[in-house]
């Protein structure tokens, strides 16, 4: 018996340089063939439209985000606007350039396979992050890695690249020209605040960012904790490039400039506004209050 029930598909038709429309129609057909008229399809028409569509989906059992991490980010924010008892389950079919949350959950990037996984999925009570009033499901970072993530948006439009090749191209460009250090003061949970300098500062729910870079290999979506990775200066361009490559396979933690830890609550104050991204989307500010909302979303993942 499928976990899906009455299902709303929310799709970004311009995902993957315009291939999102065809992908959404195919997903609707594949699921409708199995579930009949219990499957509805809604297309986003503008930025943040997916938030409104998901927030209005209280009468559905499941909302499926079809697109990249940006669509998943918007849909999850819409679902979190609903009372817990009225909140549908979240499913996803990855049609994007990064697909980090799908990678974390083990969802295939092949449309037919992903639909089959949805039909036989199990529900996971997943944690959600909250930063300055915005919810997120996978990644939040400040500094170099955020600058890379933001640069990939423009680079994707110019080049048509996606995934790891896109992030690698942007990464080396930023490493060569924008290897900046940021001054911060941070408080983890109820500990005393500490000050320091960082090149990157990631506060993760999931393992991945940037199209599969394994920045926090021990991260769990259900432990009620953020996994945090901070890269401290000094790091020259050559060493930074080596650490960048090591992070693809999660091997960067052996470098002495890398600090890792966990916390359920983080407050960061930067001396100046840093490049910042949340689930691949730009977020602005200088002070960030970050909390875990434990087991807030029932997320569908492939059954073992």
């Amino acid at each position: 018996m499928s976990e899906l029930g009455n299902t709303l598909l929310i799709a970004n038709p311009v995902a993957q340089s315009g291939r999102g429309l065809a992908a959404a129609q195919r997903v609707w057909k594949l699921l409708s063939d199995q579930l009949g008229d219990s499957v509805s399809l809604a297309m986003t028409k503008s930025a943040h439209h997916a938030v409104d569509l998901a927030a209005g989906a209280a009468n559905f059992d499941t909302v499926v985000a079809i697109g990249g991490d940006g669509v998943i980010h918007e849909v999850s924010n819409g679902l979190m606007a609903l009372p817990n008892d009225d909140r549908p389950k979240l499913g996803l079919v990855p049609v994007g350039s990064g697909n980090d949350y799908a990678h974390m959950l083990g969802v295939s990037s092949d449309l037919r396979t992903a639909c089959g996984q949805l039909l036989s999925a199990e529900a996971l009570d997943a944690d959600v992050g909250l930063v300055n009033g915005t919810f997120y499901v996978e990644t939040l970072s400040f500094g170099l890695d955020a600058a890379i993530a933001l640069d990939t948006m423009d680079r994707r439009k110019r080049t048509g690249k996606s995934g790891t090749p896109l992030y690698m191209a942007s990464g080396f460009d930023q490493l060569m020209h924008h290897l900046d250090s940021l001054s911060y003061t941070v408080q983890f949970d109820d500990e005393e605040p500490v000050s320091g300098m960082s090149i990157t500062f990631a506060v993760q729910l999931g393992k991945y960012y940037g199209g599969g870079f394994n920045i926090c290999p021990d991260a769990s979506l259900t432990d009620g904790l953020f996994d945090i990775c901070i890269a401290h200066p000094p790091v020259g361009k050559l060493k930074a490039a080596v650490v960048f490559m090591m992070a693809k396979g999660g091997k960067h933690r052996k470098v002495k400039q890398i600090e890792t830890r966990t916390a359920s609550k983080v407050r960061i104050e930067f001396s100046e506004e840093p490049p910042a991204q949340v689930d691949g989307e730009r977020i602005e500010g200088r002070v960030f209050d970050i909390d875990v909302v434990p087991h807030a979303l029932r997320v569908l993942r492939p059954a073992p």
Side-chain angles (χ1 to χ4, degrees):
M1 180 72 76
S2 173
E3 283 264 358
L4 294 179
N6 194 23
T7 301
L8 174 65
L9 311 179
I10 298 178
N12 177 7
V14 299
Q16 267 198 344
S17 303
R19 293 189 288 272
L21 176 59
Q25 292 171 335
R26 187 174 180 215
V27 170
W28 177 83
K29 178 69 165 57
L30 288 167
L31 293 179
S32 294
D33 284 348
Q34 300 296 320
L35 302 175
D37 59 7
S38 66
V39 183
S40 303
L41 174 61
M43 297 287 192
T44 61
K45 298 178 180 178
S46 61
H48 310 300
H49 188 201
V51 178
D52 297 332
L53 291 171
N59 292 328
F60 288 89
D61 300 302
T62 303
V63 172
V64 176
I66 304 173
D69 291 315
V71 174
I72 296 167
H73 175 71
E74 290 193 13
V75 168
S76 62
N77 271 269
L79 293 177
M80 289 300 295
L82 293 169
N84 186 60
D85 290 343
D86 295 332
R87 191 175 298 152
K89 297 183 290 291
L90 171 65
L92 53 143
V93 175
V95 184
S97 61
N99 302 323
D100 287 312
Y101 198 50
H103 191 183
M104 182 68 187
L105 291 166
V107 179
S108 174
S109 58
D110 176 78
L111 293 184
R112 181 178 291 277
T113 303
C115 289
Q117 290 174 328
L118 271 177
L119 289 166
S120 61
E122 63 178 17
L124 176 76
D125 292 324
D127 301 332
V128 172
L130 178 64
V131 53
N132 291 3
T134 296
F135 294 101
Y136 70 99
V137 295
E138 176 76 11
T139 176
L140 169 68
S141 67
F142 311 96
L144 176 65
D145 46 1
I148 294 169
L150 297 173
D151 180 69
T152 59
M153 297 182 195
D154 294 332
R155 192 176 294 264
R156 181 169 58 243
K157 294 174 183 176
R158 296 197 312 269
T159 67
K161 291 182 179 179
S162 64
T164 298
L166 174 70
Y167 194 79
M168 294 285 281
S170 178
F172 282 111
D173 181 55
Q174 294 293 317
L175 280 168
M176 293 301 105
H177 301 104
H178 301 286
L179 191 61
D180 302 321
S181 297
L182 298 167
S183 175
Y184 66 84
T185 299
V186 62
Q187 182 178 17
F188 298 111
D189 294 323
D190 296 323
E191 299 176 12
E192 288 296 314
V194 294
S195 297
M197 300 287 291
S198 67
I199 296 169
T200 67
F201 197 128
V203 184
Q204 296 281 127
L205 285 167
K207 300 174 187 288
Y208 305 105
Y209 68 7
F213 279 73
N214 194 357
I215 188 67
C216 290
D218 297 328
S220 165
L221 295 176
T222 60
D223 63 359
L225 295 170
F226 295 116
D227 279 62
I228 297 151
C229 181
I230 309 168
H232 296 285
V235 179
K237 291 180 180 180
L238 178 59
K239 186 167 186 178
V242 171
V243 175
F244 178 69
M245 294 298 298
M246 293 172 71
K248 180 63 179 174
K251 306 296 185 184
H252 57 294
R253 293 180 297 175
K254 63 182 68 175
V255 177
K256 68 178 182 179
Q257 284 92 345
I258 299 296
E259 174 188 356
T260 60
R261 60 164 300 152
T262 60
S264 62
K265 183 177 182 179
V266 184
R267 177 181 172 83
I268 314 171
E269 182 174 345
F270 291 96
S271 59
E272 58 185 85
E273 184 169 328
Q277 65 84 23
V278 57
D279 286 340
E281 302 296 310
R282 186 183 303 276
I283 184 171
E284 297 179 341
R286 192 176 62 81
V287 180
F288 299 89
D289 289 295
I290 314 161
D291 293 278
V292 170
V293 187
H295 310 310
L297 276 179
R298 301 206 75 205
V299 181
L300 296 178
R301 67 173 179 181

